[in-house]
Structures are given as structure tokens and as C-alpha cells.
Amino acid sequence: DAKTTQPTSMDCAEGRAANLPCNHSTISGNEYVYWYRQIHSQGPQYIIHGLKNNETNEMASLIITEDRKSSTLILPHATLRDTAVYYCIVRYSGGGADGLTFGKGTHLIIQP
Amino acid sequence: EAGVVQSPRYKIIEKKQPVAFWCNPISGHNTLYWYRQNLGQGPELLIRYENEEAVDDSQLPKDRFSAERLKGVDSTLKIQPAELGDSAVYLCASSSRTSGARSYEQYFGPGTRLTVT
């Protein structure tokens, strides 16, 4: 699986959009971008994933650049409960049930 | 629907003692994972089961770690003897081909925080 690079930490004001960047310059054509988050004292939780098109669900939006070398997770209206470590993971599409390879992630702190 | 259940939530033991962690996955999930998470790091896969078969245990330190998943449901991860460096959070996750709205989405339990003194 391709390596990802994320900022160590970020702050965002409550109610504003939180934009979390991820660099994955070595991604290959059959690899998806996944995002998970981990709230303190809990296990990781799936957020969203995509291949090349932008994706949106009830939790977030995922914007993938045209060359697929980077992506941005957007939390449109951040709340205090969104404070967590966010992991960007690149994963082979045929990986199916394979384990996930986590990096250190971005610690997002939502400020009141 | 109940999530992944793990017990105990916290465990403190002295080095050289044995310890065991238990996991009950989401009903119907045939794939079960054990991860270890060191402080300030992301989780690392230790072992993956498909039903009762361990299909990926390449990262499991086999000299002191063992795992089993009898009957393809609950699983136990054991460390014997524990070392100081084993202090970490041990996470269990489960998935299935049709888990959630996303195929093979992994659902994690809250983890067991192990402290070895």
C-alpha cells in the first residue's frame, strides 16, 4: 500500500469547516483513499473512502485531486465531538478483508 | 445492533505474568482482527481470522503471543510472559463482505489498555 503524509495536528473553530489534507504521491491506479478517525479512548471509526471522484456522505466530504496524489477530508460544520485523530489510508482495491495500515494521523482539535 | 465487545477494558500486570484479552465481534462478521496501538501511534495489525482460520499472522510475535478463535466467533489474544514493551492498547475489529454500506468496512471495539509494570 502507498505511503501517506498528514500534518501532525490542526486546530479548527467550532462551526467552521475542517479541512484535513493528505498526501499520497505514490498511489497507484487500483488503490482507494480511506479515512478513519479515532476519538479518545475509542477504537477507530470509518468515515469515507473514494477512488478518483469526490465523495460525500452524512459525515464528511472527500476531495481527491485529479492526479490522485493528494486528497482533503472536509467536515463541513465541525463540532467539539469531532476532536479526534484522523487517519488517511491508501488501500488496494482488491484488498477486501486485508488489515488496515495506519500512520500517525492528524490530531484535529476543535476549539469552542 | 451491538458493536464489537472487548474485555477487560483495562489491565495492569507485572512483567513475566500472563494476560488474556477477549473479543466478541459483531454478529455475522466472519473476519476478525487484532491490532496493537502504542502510545502516539496508529494501530498495527497483529492477526486476521477468516472464520476460525488465521489467514494473516505475519506480524504476531509468536514467541510470546498466541490467539485463537474457536467456532469462528469469539476470540482470545494471549501474552505469556508479558514484557514492559507490551504496554499498549489492544484493539479488536470485525468485518464481513457486506458489513455496513461498504464492503469489508472494519468495526472496532473500544480496546483493552494493558500496562505492564
Side-chain angles (χ1 to χ4, degrees), chain B residues 42-109:
Chain B
E44 297 175 306
L45 180 70
L46 291 175
I47 189 169
R48 172 169 68 100
Y49 281 92
E50 293 291 342
N51 300 305
E52 65 275 8
E53 181 182 359
V55 297
D56 182 1
D57 63 356
S58 58
Q59 301 304 311
L60 188 73
K62 298 180 182 63
D63 56 336
R64 297 182 300 106
F65 286 65
S66 64
E68 61 182 10
R69 191 183 184 199
L70 300 176
K71 301 181 181 179
V73 181
D74 295 1
S75 178
T76 302
L77 178 68
K78 299 178 181 178
I79 309 175
Q80 182 171 13
E83 297 179 352
L84 295 176
D86 296 330
S87 294
V89 175
Y90 291 83
L91 293 159
C92 179
S94 69
S95 74
S96 76
R97 185 177 180 83
T98 58
S99 59
R102 283 81 50 168
S103 181
Y104 294 117
E105 175 184 338
Q106 294 185 27
Y107 291 80
F108 286 79

Side-chain angles (χ1 to χ4, degrees), chain A residues 28-43:
Chain A
S28 61
N30 59 3
E31 289 182 316
Y32 282 75
V33 179
Y34 280 74
W35 285 83
Y36 276 72
R37 75 177 182 183
Q38 187 173 22
I39 295 170
H40 183 62
S41 295
Q42 297 183 22

Side-chain angles (χ1 to χ4, degrees), chain B residues 15-61:
Chain B
K15 62 182 181 182
K16 301 185 181 180
Q17 295 301 306
V19 65
F21 315 122
W22 175 79
C23 173
N24 180 244
I26 292 173
S27 177
H29 281 193
N30 58 306
T31 307
L32 183 145
Y33 314 79
W34 283 102
Y35 290 83
R36 177 172 60 187
Q37 185 171 24
N38 293 313
L39 188 64
Q41 308 291 320
E44 297 175 306
L45 180 70
L46 291 175
I47 189 169
R48 172 169 68 100
Y49 281 92
E50 293 291 342
N51 300 305
E52 65 275 8
E53 181 182 359
V55 297
D56 182 1
D57 63 356
S58 58
Q59 301 304 311
L60 188 73

Side-chain angles (χ1 to χ4, degrees), chain A residues 53-79:
Chain A
N53 297 320
N54 298 337
E55 302 288 344
T56 295
N57 63 19
E58 66 279 4
M59 291 182 68
S61 294
L62 174 60
I63 307 299
I64 302 174
T65 58
E66 190 170 349
D67 63 8
R68 302 187 68 239
K69 292 183 177 182
S70 65
S71 61
T72 301
L73 178 74
I74 301 172
L75 307 179
H77 304 287
T79 70

